[in-house]
Amino acid sequence: MVVLAAVIVVAGTNLFAAVTRPGSGLDLGGSARAAQVHDVEVRRLIGVYEAKIADRPTAPDLLFLAGLYADVARRTGDIGAYGRAEQAVEQSLTIAPEYRDALVARAQLLHATHDFVGARDVAEQVLVLQPDNPDARAVLGDALLAVGDIGGATETYGPLLEVADSDPAVAIRTARLAYLSGDAINAALDADRALQLALDQGVLGTDLAWYLAADGALAFDLGDYGKADERYRQALEAAPNYHIAQAGLARARAAQGDTAGAIELYQRAIEAVPDPSYLAALGDLYLVQGDGASAEDQYATVELIATLADLNRQLYNRQLSLFFSDHDREIDRAVTLAESELAIRQDVYGWDAYAWALYKAGRITEAAAASEQALAWGTPDAVLEYHAGMIALTAGQAERAEALL
């Protein structure tokens, strides 16, 4: 029912017998073939609909074309494809201003490009017109979570829970909410349910890889690097060019001491999407190997990204701020970027990036206050606790620092 899978940073499951058991019905080779066929077909359809619209534009055709562009953006990280999708949606709404499916698509695209307040406002507009619209309710909950309103998100998701046992997109949202709220056990169980539902419904290709990568991310955060490695490998079997799985597997390999393997995987991910976090991690791995020149090349690329178009900065503010803070480079810029991110996204990770930048800037009292906000939801993330612990240590709170670290 819910067609938009929100960008989930961490989600997962403990029970994957259906994935690993012989005869389970999961054909990852078939999924990889499906991903290749899907890519070819999407590009073919884009050509068909672009020509059709050039001849006679209609609101439904424009909306369908927008969906194709958005699919390309989601799978490949092509930011320009988001822009083309937004243009098609706006053209659709110019023809039919109250076209509810197009309004939902507008909200989804605003969320995907990190205009969370805009996504919230448009989703609320749809729900006034159609209170039982599940897609508008889903994107509204996602937007509320991004702006830091966890109570509002929980309430908004509520009516969707009736289908949580049949809709993997709803189940993965409950997993995300549980994790952010500090309930790692139920986050794992809900994500397991989401994956199993996706399998039961025949999800293949990048969509299946997305659920597998989500499990890998949670396994990594819980310290199970072997399981994370396995899930990311399965994700790449399902969709061999999926950059999120390539980068995730690189991270798992690095954690297990396979620096050379991690470098190769990050290189592949960066060929698809030059995400600042991928570039920074690759640079760090070059440093581990003693190759300072190659590390500086990666860091210089990250700094270049910070100068690019507004949409790039909007999507990557958080990663860029953390890069500058982690590497003790341009700390004032790290603070500014974190402030820009916090202006649109007041979740625990926004507060954490801000706290860490303030800490590196020597503004310890402000950093401690921001760090309290980062820990407020009880999210069981070691990075949040490490940053908070270092801030507490510098603030002279030895007992608190010891507990956190």
Side-chain angles (χ1 to χ4, degrees):
M1 178 170 60
V2 178
V3 299
L4 172 72
V7 177
I8 304 296
V9 178
V10 177
T13 169
N14 288 327
L15 306 175
F16 271 85
V19 175
T20 58
R21 184 178 63 245
S24 66
L26 178 61
D27 178 5
L28 293 175
S31 184
R33 290 189 294 274
Q36 294 170 347
V37 170
H38 178 86
D39 180 63
V40 171
E41 180 63 8
V42 165
R43 296 187 184 280
R44 184 190 73 80
L45 286 171
I46 286 174
V48 168
Y49 273 81
E50 285 177 339
K52 187 177 181 183
I53 287 164
D55 181 56
R56 189 175 72 86
T58 68
D61 284 349
L62 282 160
L63 182 58
F64 187 77
L65 180 61
L68 296 171
Y69 288 143
D71 181 81
V72 171
R74 180 180 61 84
R75 288 183 293 106
T76 68
D78 179 0
I79 294 175
Y82 280 126
R84 293 189 289 276
E86 289 176 342
Q87 290 175 0
V89 167
E90 295 309 314
Q91 285 180 267
S92 177
L93 286 167
T94 297
I95 295 171
E98 296 187 1
Y99 188 13
R100 291 176 190 174
D101 288 346
L103 287 170
V104 171
R106 175 191 274 172
Q108 293 170 340
L109 286 167
L110 288 169
H111 185 278
T113 55
H114 291 195
D115 183 352
F116 304 112
V117 172
R120 179 198 65 194
D121 293 346
V122 174
E124 287 176 341
Q125 177 186 351
V126 175
L127 288 172
V128 168
L129 299 171
Q130 190 178 14
D132 60 349
N133 188 304
D135 297 326
R137 183 166 293 280
V139 74
L140 176 58
D142 299 340
L144 290 171
L145 203 56
V147 301
D149 186 358
I150 193 169
T154 302
E155 182 179 354
T156 300
Y157 288 143
L160 298 177
L161 299 182
E162 296 177 5
V163 296
D165 288 331
S166 61
D167 192 326
V170 174
I172 203 67
R173 281 177 168 85
T174 66
R176 174 66 171 161
L177 193 59
Y179 179 80
L180 288 172
S181 302
D183 188 352
I185 293 175
N186 279 317
L189 293 173
D190 288 346
D192 174 65
R193 178 176 51 172
L195 177 64
Q196 190 59 57
L197 287 168
L199 293 170
D200 291 345
Q201 294 176 16
V203 172
L204 296 172
T206 305
D207 291 329
L208 177 58
W210 184 82
Y211 284 101
L212 287 162
D215 178 62
L218 181 60
F220 186 96
D221 284 344
L222 295 178
D224 190 345
Y225 304 138
K227 180 180 176 182
D229 188 294
E230 181 178 9
R231 295 298 170 257
Y232 285 124
R233 282 191 292 106
Q234 290 172 328
L236 287 174
E237 289 177 38
N241 298 318
Y242 189 38
H243 67 94
I244 290 175
Q246 289 168 338
L249 184 56
R251 192 172 177 228
R253 293 285 165 87
Q256 297 173 98
D258 182 5
T259 301
I263 286 174
E264 181 180 352
L265 284 158
Y266 271 126
Q267 288 171 336
R268 287 170 53 193
I270 289 165
E271 286 177 5
V273 180
D275 184 299
S277 63
Y278 302 172
L279 289 156
L282 178 59
D284 294 346
L285 290 168
Y286 280 134
L287 278 184
V288 170
Q289 287 193 326
D291 187 353
S294 294
E296 280 301 320
D297 286 343
Q298 307 310 311
Y299 299 156
T301 305
V302 177
E303 292 176 339
L304 176 62
I305 291 172
T307 69
L308 296 178
D310 289 343
L311 182 55
N312 286 276
R313 291 199 303 272
Q314 182 169 300
L315 290 174
Y316 295 137
N317 274 339
R318 185 174 293 174
Q319 293 99 313
L320 291 168
S321 177
L322 288 170
F323 164 75
F324 288 123
S325 297
D326 286 340
H327 296 84
D328 296 311
R329 302 161 81 101
E330 301 188 49
I331 298 304
D332 288 345
R333 195 174 192 181
V335 173
T336 299
L337 286 164
E339 288 172 340
S340 297
E341 173 73 1
L342 200 60
I344 61 172
R345 196 176 191 185
Q346 300 91 32
D347 64 353
V348 293
Y349 292 101
W351 284 109
D352 173 67
Y354 186 45
W356 194 232
L358 290 170
Y359 165 75
K360 288 302 184 85
R363 295 161 59 178
I364 305 304
T365 301
E366 295 169 87
S371 183
E372 287 296 325
Q373 294 292 330
L375 298 178
W377 295 358
T379 307
D381 189 314
V383 173
L384 303 182
E385 294 178 351
Y386 169 72
H387 288 170
M390 293 303 294
I391 291 167
L393 187 64
T394 305
Q397 301 169 352
E399 186 174 343
R400 174 174 170 76
E402 182 177 0
L404 287 163
L405 294 173

